[in-house]
Amino acid sequence: MTMLKGKDIILSLLYKDALTGYEIMERIQNRLGYFVEGSTGMIYPALKKLEKEGFITSEEIIQHDKPNKKRYTICENGRTSVQDYIESPISQDKFISDFLLRAYLETNPIKELVTHEIDQITKRLAKLIADNEAVIADMAAGQLFAYEFGKNMYQTQLNFLHRYLETEIRRSNPQDNL
Amino acid sequence: MTMLKGKDIILSLLYKDALTGYEIMERIQNRLGYFVEGSTGMIYPALKKLEKEGFITSEEIIQHDKPNKKRYTICENGRTSVQDYIESPISQDKFISDFLLRAYLETNPIKELVTHEIDQITKRLAKLIADNEAVIADMAAGQLFAYEFGKNMYQTQLNFLHRYLETEIRRSNPQDNL
DNA sequence: TCTGGCATGTAACCGGTTACATGATTAC
DNA sequence: GTAATCATGTAACCGGTTACATGCCAGA
């Protein structure tokens, strides 16, 4: 029943690699962007809290070509927490769509709405591919699966939306039906 | 950029019909269940607040065969708010999946995970159909669109997951490849 | 009497949104 | 000089989760 929390997402990522806050944010927004969310306002405070609570440790990394950064490493406590998470009941997928709510409210054709949505999803799909295709060779089975899942979803959504537009055009131009 | 809020969902529903809290909850969880969320803990306090702020009014309805109820009616203020919402920028769809995060973390085959997800989605699809098919004749264009969209998404997800299981079986039983 | 559907609520908690703030370094 | 990328943060606010609490009515 309990929803997926930032803590679980972050610790899960740190379970595999030691990462900086910036890297965590990138991964969440890019590679995992299809199915989780994360902003600086969530990630940095969460990291701080996780360190204070003894789930992770940090070390400063001095860089000369770029700003310094802090790398976080998971510790025993954190690994246990991830195990607990994995053994906990799986929470339901959640899909929130402002687009569909607006569509739902409309009595009239929703061409502009759909066109806008096609735009959005096209961009998101392109980003998903761009962010993942480069690392595809290094992906574990599950990562590849999640990526393919997301790609498939976006493509299906696009197909559905395009199909809608086509039937709309046919409806409004009946003379095309030869 | 701002996310879809309970207020917008509720006022949007009340824009079309006067409804009780219970009816709003039912609609959100059933017909709109594919793309928005709502629980008593969100809906009743929100209704109270919306009334206090003058977006809606309420009247008590006495029933003899069932418990009494309160019907909420949107007023001018509320209609304006819905207009503002409709004119505001569309916020991005949001998909949160505990299932995909767990899949992402796995190095090993994820058959059980996928099987569980198939179960979940099958149930949700059945519920979506059950909740909508009865009222399909009364649906406005947009409502039908949203419903078809959700159905299509669930079906695609199921196809993808089934396909995964099949290829997994083939991978683990190569002798089947005659 | 007890289950199930109808119906309305409360309250603590907290997690995350939103927006703002800062600064190093590189390349143009 | 300034835009872009890298990098880390803060803080107020509030919205919703979670869980609990209550009660009516019908039918088995």
Side-chain angles (χ1 to χ4, degrees):
Chain A
M1 278 272 145
T2 34
M3 262 303 302
L4 190 53
K5 297 290 196 314
K7 173 186 172 181
D8 296 317
I9 301 169
I10 292 172
L11 284 183
S12 294
L13 289 178
L14 293 176
Y15 196 88
K16 307 195 127 188
D17 312 287
L19 297 168
T20 68
Y22 195 74
E23 285 167 340
I24 290 171
M25 201 181 59
E26 270 192 316
R27 293 224 184 165
I28 290 179
Q29 289 179 351
N30 301 343
R31 296 193 222 170
L32 313 192
Y34 175 59
F35 59 89
V36 289
E37 299 220 323
S39 55
T40 64
M42 173 244 148
I43 292 164
Y44 286 108
L47 284 169
K48 202 177 193 179
K49 200 181 167 208
L50 287 170
E51 187 175 19
K52 199 179 65 188
E53 293 170 347
F55 293 110
I56 58 180
T57 57
S58 68
E59 56 184 317
E60 178 114 31
I61 295 179
I62 312 296
Q63 298 188 121
H64 299 292
D65 51 338
K66 291 174 202 170
N68 295 342
K69 57 188 179 182
K70 274 165 85 179
R71 179 162 56 204
Y72 291 92
T73 306
I74 197 167
C75 39
E76 260 333 281
N77 236 330
R79 292 191 182 275
T80 308
S81 173
V82 174
Q83 291 301 342
D84 290 348
Y85 157 60
I86 286 173
E87 280 154 30
S88 74
I90 303 175
S91 63
Q92 248 203 189
D93 292 346
K94 183 172 173 174
F95 179 60
I96 305 294
S97 177
D98 192 4
F99 161 65
L100 284 180
L101 180 60
R102 287 165 194 250
Y104 187 90
L105 299 175
E106 274 301 336
T107 319
N108 311 316
I110 50 174
K111 263 181 62 181
E112 299 100 82
L113 211 52
V114 170
T115 306
H116 178 268
E117 182 77 356
I118 286 175
D119 243 58
Q120 294 296 307
I121 299 182
T122 302
K123 277 181 202 148
R124 293 229 255 161
L125 175 57
K127 180 170 161 50
L128 185 73
I129 292 173
D131 291 336
N132 282 279
E133 215 61 30
V135 290
I136 212 166
D138 303 326
M139 278 187 186
Q143 292 174 16
L144 195 61
F145 173 85
Y147 168 49
E148 297 289 351
F149 189 99
K151 223 168 54 176
N152 191 52
M153 280 305 97
Y154 280 145
Q155 272 155 356
T156 306
Q157 287 176 35
L158 285 176
N159 288 343
F160 184 89
L161 298 172
H162 281 302
R163 232 156 44 227
Y164 171 81
L165 286 188
E166 278 161 30
T167 58
E168 258 315 300
I169 287 164
R170 241 177 278 129
R171 231 196 301 283
S172 48
N173 302 335
Q175 70 277 18
D176 291 358
N177 286 330
L178 303 182
Chain B
M1 276 272 144
T2 34
M3 261 304 302
L4 190 54
K5 297 291 197 313
K7 173 187 172 181
D8 296 317
I9 301 170
I10 291 172
L11 284 183
S12 294
L13 289 177
L14 292 177
Y15 196 88
K16 308 195 126 190
D17 312 286
L19 297 168
T20 69
Y22 194 74
E23 285 167 340
I24 291 172
M25 202 181 60
E26 269 191 317
R27 292 224 184 164
I28 291 179
Q29 289 178 351
N30 301 343
R31 296 193 222 169
L32 312 192
Y34 176 59
F35 58 89
V36 289
E37 298 221 321
S39 55
T40 65
M42 173 244 148
I43 292 164
Y44 286 107
L47 285 169
K48 202 177 194 178
K49 201 181 167 208
L50 287 171
E51 187 174 20
K52 201 179 63 188
E53 292 170 348
F55 293 111
I56 58 180
T57 58
S58 68
E59 56 184 317
E60 178 114 31
I61 296 180
I62 312 296
Q63 299 188 121
H64 300 291
D65 51 337
K66 292 175 201 169
N68 295 342
K69 57 188 179 181
K70 274 165 83 179
R71 180 162 55 203
Y72 291 93
T73 306
I74 197 166
C75 38
E76 259 332 280
N77 236 329
R79 291 190 183 276
T80 308
S81 172
V82 173
Q83 291 301 343
D84 289 349
Y85 157 61
I86 286 173
E87 280 155 29
S88 74
I90 303 175
S91 64
Q92 249 204 189
D93 292 346
K94 184 170 173 174
F95 179 62
I96 304 294
S97 177
D98 192 4
F99 161 65
L100 284 181
L101 180 59
R102 286 164 196 252
Y104 188 90
L105 298 175
E106 274 301 337
T107 320
N108 312 315
I110 49 174
K111 264 181 60 181
E112 299 100 80
L113 211 51
V114 170
T115 306
H116 178 268
E117 182 76 358
I118 287 176
D119 244 56
Q120 293 296 307
I121 298 182
T122 302
K123 276 180 203 149
R124 293 228 256 161
L125 175 57
K127 180 169 162 48
L128 186 72
I129 292 173
D131 291 335
N132 282 280
E133 215 60 31
V135 290
I136 214 166
D138 304 326
M139 279 188 188
Q143 292 175 16
L144 196 60
F145 173 85
Y147 168 49
E148 297 288 351
F149 190 100
K151 222 168 56 175
N152 190 52
M153 282 304 97
Y154 281 146
Q155 271 155 355
T156 306
Q157 287 175 35
L158 285 176
N159 288 342
F160 184 90
L161 297 173
H162 281 303
R163 232 156 45 228
Y164 170 83
L165 286 187
E166 278 162 30
T167 59
E168 259 314 301
I169 288 164
R170 242 178 276 129
R171 230 197 301 282
S172 49
N173 301 335
Q175 70 277 16
D176 291 357
N177 286 330
L178 301 184

